[in-house]
Amino acid sequence: MTAETLDWPVLNRYDVAHSLRVALPLGGIGTGTVSLGGRGDLRDWEVVNRPAKGFAPKWSFFAVRTAPAGGGAPDAVVARALEGPIDLVLYEGGHGSGVPNHGLPRFRRSEFLAAYPFGQVVLEDPDVPADVRVQAFNPLVPTDAEASGLPVAVLRYAVTNTAAHALEVSVAGSVSNFVGTDGTEGVAKDNRNTVRREDFGTGVLLTSDGVPREAEQWGSLALVALGEDDVTTRTAWADHSWGGELLDFWDDFTADGRLEERAGGTDTPTASVAATRTLAPGETHTFTFLLGWHFPNRRNWDRTETVGNHYATKYADAWQVVTDTVSALPELERRTRTFVEDVVDSDLPAAVREAALANLSTLRTQTCFRTADGRFFGWEGCSDDVGCCAGSCTHVWNYEQATPFLFGALATSLREVELAYATGADGRMPFRIPLPLDRAGTDPGPAAADGQMGCLVKLYREWRMSGDDELLRALWPAAKRALTFAWIPGGWDADRDGVMEGSQHNTMDVEYFGPNPEVGVWYLAALRACEELATYLDDKDFAATCADLFARGSAWLDENLFNGEYYRHEIRPPGSEDAIAPGLRLKGIGARDLVNPELQIGDGCLADQLVGQKLAHLYGLGDLLDPAHVRTTFASILRHNRRDTMAGHFNPMRSYTLGDEAGLVVAAYPHGNRPERPFPYFDEVWSGLEYTAAVGMICVGMVDEGVGVIETTRSRYDGRRRNPFDEAECGHHYVRAMASWGAVPALTGFGYDGVRRVLTFAAVDEAADGVRWFWSNGWAWGVVEQARAADAGSGVDVRLNVREGSLRVRELALTGLGSADLGERTLGPGEQVTVRVRTA
C-alpha cells in the first residue's frame, strides 16, 4: 500500500473527545448500511430491511496481533481490538459497561477523519509497535445509482511497522451469523457458515438452513479477506459458557495470529477470517476486507406485502456481491475519490462542503430504498427500529436537493410514481404513496397542498435539467390535473384568484385555513412552472390561465400578507366541514374547531415561508414576489428566528437544540401576537428549514448571512453531541436535511437548461483570483474553473470539465457578464472545453 493510496481526502477531523456519536453509514443507495463508529467499531447493523440503531451482532469486531518475525519472547506479542478508547460516559452499567466487546484491549488514542463517503480512524498506542489506519467506504458516484448502490462495506486496515525489526502482523475480522433477525424481530435457526476460497481472496459465507426463504430477515452475509496468501478461518467459535467462547478465540488468535476451526453448537455461529503478513521495519501493508450482504425480501410500508430490493435482483447471494465487486473496486474507488476531491477542493466555505457531503449519507440509510423493479422510495426518516412516516412524503421530499442534482434518474422515478401512478382522475395526489403501487389508484389518501404543488415544481426541474421531452409529455396530463385540482369547489383556490384560501394540509402536519406564505408561495411556484411547461407544449390557453393566476396571486400576497418585515398568515376559518372538499383534511391531528381554528401560523415569522421562492431561484423560474420584500423577509427571519442560546428557550415539543446551542426556530412571534395554540412545531429547530432559509438568503445576495446559518447548524453535529452523519427531525437521517446540497448551486450560480442547452454559472469578478467549483445536474458532473483573461481585453477564461455523464450544451453563460457560443456539442466523460466570456 503506497502513501498515495492511503491519502484519502479529508474534510473534517474528530478527536477522541468528539468521536462518541460519530457513525458513518457504509452501504449503497437502497441497500441499508453498517456504520463505522468514531473509535473504529462497526455499529448499527441496519442491513436487514429496517432501521436497527444500537444493533451490533455479538462478537463482531476486528483485531490486530503483532509479534517479532521469527519468534520471540511471549511478552513481545501485542494484540488489540482495532478500535480506539471507549468514551468515559460508556463505562457505567448495572453489569459493567454495555459497550459491545468492552473487555478487549484497544488502542489508547484515536482520531476520526471524514469526507463522506470516506471514513478513516487513526489508531496509536505506545505499547503497540505499529500504527494503524482504518479506512472504510462504499462507492458513491454521481449520476450512477448502480455503482452507488452496492450492498458492501470496504474495510481496510493499513498497518505500519514502527519497530526496528521485522514484525509478523495478523488482522482478524469476526461476524456472528445473525441471519434470521433484523435486530428487533425474527429468530436465527440452523444458521451455517461456509469457507470459500477464490483467486481474489478467502472468506466465509454466512447463510441459514432454518429461516424461511420468504422471511424478511432471510438472506446471507459474506466476510472476505482480499489478496492475501496466508489466510486462516473459523466457521464457528467454541461452544463454551461464561465468556469461554471469546476467551478461546483470543487465546487462539494471540498464540500465533492464525485461527483453528472449532465445533460450534449455536444457531448463530461466529465466522472469523484472519490474514497474516510479515512487515519489514517502516513497511506499510493494507489488509482489505469486504463485508457484503443480501437480504431480498423487503416489505412495503406496513410490512404486509413483499416488494423486494433492487440490489438483490442483481446477485444470487452475498458471495456474488463480493465476487462482482472485487474486480470493479479500484475503478469505483477512483471515481468516488474524484467526486469527493472535486467537492472538497471547490472554492466553497468549509461548512457548505461538509453539510452537502455529510447529508448524502441519508440516501444510503434505511430511510431510502429501491423496490425490485428499480423504483426509488423513501421514508421521511428512521426511528430506532422502524421507518418513520411512510410514503415518500411529498411535502418533506420537496425540500431535499441532493437527489435531483446528483442522481437525476432517481428523482425522475419519484416524479413518475407521483404523477403516473398516484394522481387520480380528479387530480388528487396522496401525499403518502402506498405500496404496492396499485393501491394508489384504489385507495387514495389525503392530499397536501404544499406537497402537491411542490411535485409540479419538481417536474419542471427534472424536465429542465434532463431536457427529456418524452418524460414531460408522458406526465403532463397528470400534472395538469394536479394543478386544476386546486380549483375544485371547496378546494385550495376555489375562486381561482391565485391565492390559496382553503384547507391546506402541509408539512407541519396540520391544515392551514386562509392565505399564508408557506403554501401560497409553493402555489405561485407551481403556477410559474406549469406556465413554462404549458408554453413549451403549445398549450396556450392553459399557459395563459397559469400566468394570470400567478400575476394576481403574487400581487395579492405582496399587498395583503407582507407586513413590512415578513409574510404573515391571514386565518380564514372554514366554519364547518361542509366547506371543505373531500380529501383535504387528515382527520385527528389538525384543528378541531373550524369556527375558531387552533394550530395555525397567524402572525408568525416562518423560517421556511419562502421555500417556493428559493427553489424558483435555483431552477430558473425567477422572482415570485417583490424582490425587495423577499430580501427583507430573509433578514427578518435571521433577526427574529435566530436564538443564540437555547438556555432560556421554552419548547413544548421535540428538542433538536439544547443548552447554549444556537439555531433558527421554526416560527417566531416577535411582536407578542402568538396564537394561544400555534401549529405544533413552532418552537422547534429543524436543520432542514435552516438550510432552506440559508440557501434562500444566498440566492438573494445575503451570502455571508446564509453561510453563517449553515455554519451554526453544522456546529451542533460535532461528533460529541450528535452524529455528523445523522441530522434528525422526525427520525434519524431525515430527508429534509438534504436541502443542504442546495447551497452548492446557489453559491456557484449553477443552472442548466437541458432544453435550450444552456449552462450557467455565477461570474467571478474579472479582477479577482480564479475559482474552481464542482457542478452537477443529475445526469452529468464535473468541475468548472474561471480565471481572468491573461492577455489584453476584458473577459473571463472558463474551463469546463465533464467527469462523468453526458452534457449537451450549446451556450455557456456567466450571470451578469455574458455568454459564449459553444456550438452544438455533447461533452462526454473526460472531455473539456475552454472558452472566453467577454463583458456583454
Side-chain angles (χ1 to χ4, degrees), residues 132-184:
V132 180
R133 178 175 295 209
V134 182
Q135 293 189 312
F137 85 108
N138 179 285
L140 181 61
V141 184
T143 74
D144 193 339
E146 300 302 318
S148 305
L150 303 180
V152 67
V154 181
L155 304 168
R156 292 182 179 146
Y157 300 89
V159 182
T160 300
N161 180 1
T162 59
H165 54 268
L167 284 179
E168 187 177 73
V169 178
S170 297
V171 173
S174 298
V175 177
S176 292
N177 187 338
F178 59 90
V179 173
T181 181
D182 52 26
T184 299

Side-chain angles (χ1 to χ4, degrees), residues 263-280:
T266 72
D267 284 317
T268 57
T270 298
S272 298
V273 180
T276 302
R277 177 68 67 101
T278 298
L279 303 184

